Amino acid sequence: MHSEQIKSALIAGVFSTFVLGFLAWLNYMGDYGIWLMAPFGATAVLVFGVPQSPLAKPKNVIGGHMLTAMIGVVFSYYSADSAIMIGLAVGIAITLMMITKTIHPAAGANPILIIESSQSWDFLIMPVLAGTVFIVVCGFVATWFLELLIETKHKKTAYAVSFILSTQ
């Protein structure tokens, strides 16, 4: 393994530990609402482990989670909790992520989670929006930090900037 790969793996592990640990800590505090949901673990793998992936871009992370969470809440409110409805909600979520070019695999779990736990519209703000924005901001910091550790003469911080500004 090259030293760059080791540094990347360590940064991914440290930032994932910090981000998910912090969200879990806020969650356990009790008075501040729900901050953590299981799909964030898979989001951390993409954002910190393969930040160059189109699936890890901010619009995919935030947009994908928000879109699929909305679908989950709509189905939670307006349909019976059944295998058919869960399958339909996930299918619609995938279709809409593809149409809007906000594909984020971890977000595919949101309708299942939201329907099974009967979440309300508040769930879109906490944990979905707050958590995804926090993960994306920390992803930008991790990418920037990694660029400082791995001195690439031709890139420097260009990738870190493109990560935040990417529209694809």
Side-chain angles (χ1 to χ4, degrees):
M1 216 178 198
H2 297 288
S3 68
E4 289 182 10
Q5 290 174 314
I6 293 169
K7 288 176 185 175
S8 294
L10 287 172
I11 295 297
V14 167
F15 272 85
S16 294
T17 300
F18 166 73
V19 168
L20 296 177
F22 184 71
L23 291 174
W25 178 75
L26 289 172
N27 210 52
Y28 294 136
M29 293 297 291
D31 297 335
Y32 301 107
I34 300 170
W35 284 87
L36 184 66
M37 59 183 198
F40 286 170
T43 295
V45 171
L46 290 168
V47 171
F48 301 114
V50 284
Q52 70 281 8
S53 169
L55 305 174
K57 299 297 181 202
K59 87 167 194 174
N60 293 68
V61 174
I62 298 167
H65 273 293
M66 288 299 293
L67 182 63
T68 61
M70 271 191 264
I71 291 163
V73 172
V74 167
F75 272 78
S76 180
Y77 266 84
Y78 302 110
S79 72
D81 180 2
S82 70
I84 293 170
M85 288 299 123
I86 289 172
L88 184 59
V90 172
I92 290 170
I94 292 168
T95 301
L96 290 178
M97 282 193 294
M98 291 176 73
I99 289 170
T100 60
K101 297 181 180 175
T102 58
I103 297 171
H104 184 68
N110 289 347
I112 300 167
L113 168 71
I114 291 167
I115 293 168
E116 285 295 308
S117 61
S118 302
Q119 295 297 331
S120 67
W121 292 104
D122 294 345
F123 198 78
L124 296 177
I125 304 300
M126 299 271 298
V128 178
L129 183 61
T132 56
V133 168
F134 182 65
I135 292 169
V136 164
V137 168
C138 290
F140 173 70
V141 173
T143 303
W144 174 79
F145 189 68
L146 188 59
E147 287 293 324
L148 289 177
L149 288 177
I150 302 171
E151 297 179 344
T152 54
K153 293 173 179 52
H154 62 287
K155 287 187 180 179
K156 230 27 176 173
T157 57
Y159 180 75
V161 171
S162 73
F163 174 83
I164 241 348
L165 299 177
S166 176
T167 58
Q168 292 187 5

